[in-house]
Amino acid sequence: MSTPTVLFLCQHNAGRSQLGAALLEILAPGDYTVTSAGTSPAETVNPAIAATIAELGLDITSRIPRAVTPEDLATADIVVAMKPGLSLPAAPAGRYLEWSFPDPTDWTPENVRPLRDAVTARLRDEILAA
């Protein structure tokens, strides 16, 4: 039996989607194949996001934002859009969740911590409890 694939999406694949992916890796290590992507990727992961994930023991500073592909959407068992209304290159084949979290582009780690906690709660309620 293979592990389910969860794809986290946001616009730049630098903040919200990286946060969701890293948190799921921390909360359920090895239970899922976790990936993330964006519709118009940034060059680097948001430093405030990376700092708040580092507080939990995971270094994501070397991750490189990337564009979502039709293959990503066709192979993911669960697709989590961390921003409503994303324009995707294809329809997701698996379960599709659309969550609304604010864009943390210019936030400090102090501002990101409540977002991290909110995403953790949503993951527990809608992915891990399912």
Side-chain angles (χ1 to χ4, degrees):
M1 184 172 154
S2 65
T3 58
T5 298
V6 181
L7 169 64
F8 289 88
L9 299 174
C10 70
Q11 186 172 353
H12 302 297
N13 189 219
R16 293 166 284 194
S17 57
Q18 294 284 349
L19 180 67
L23 287 170
L24 186 56
E25 290 174 35
I26 291 166
L27 293 168
D31 292 348
Y32 299 91
T33 300
V34 182
T35 187
S36 69
T39 56
S40 59
E43 291 186 23
T44 60
V45 171
N46 178 318
I49 296 291
T52 62
I53 291 298
E55 293 171 355
L56 303 177
L58 181 62
D59 180 2
I60 64 168
T61 56
S62 64
R63 295 185 182 183
I64 300 169
R66 67 179 189 86
V68 62
T69 66
E71 182 181 346
D72 290 330
L73 296 164
T75 59
D77 299 296
I78 303 169
V79 175
V80 182
M82 303 291 279
K83 174 186 176 178
L86 291 173
S87 180
L88 303 177
R95 180 176 164 210
Y96 184 71
L97 303 172
E98 192 172 68
W99 298 348
S100 181
F101 288 107
D103 182 358
T105 297
D106 297 320
W107 292 11
T108 65
E110 292 76 26
N111 298 121
V112 171
R113 286 185 195 107
L115 173 63
R116 180 186 67 192
D117 295 344
V119 172
T120 297
R122 199 84 183 253
L123 288 168
R124 285 188 172 130
D125 291 346
E126 296 189 37
I127 305 256
L128 299 174

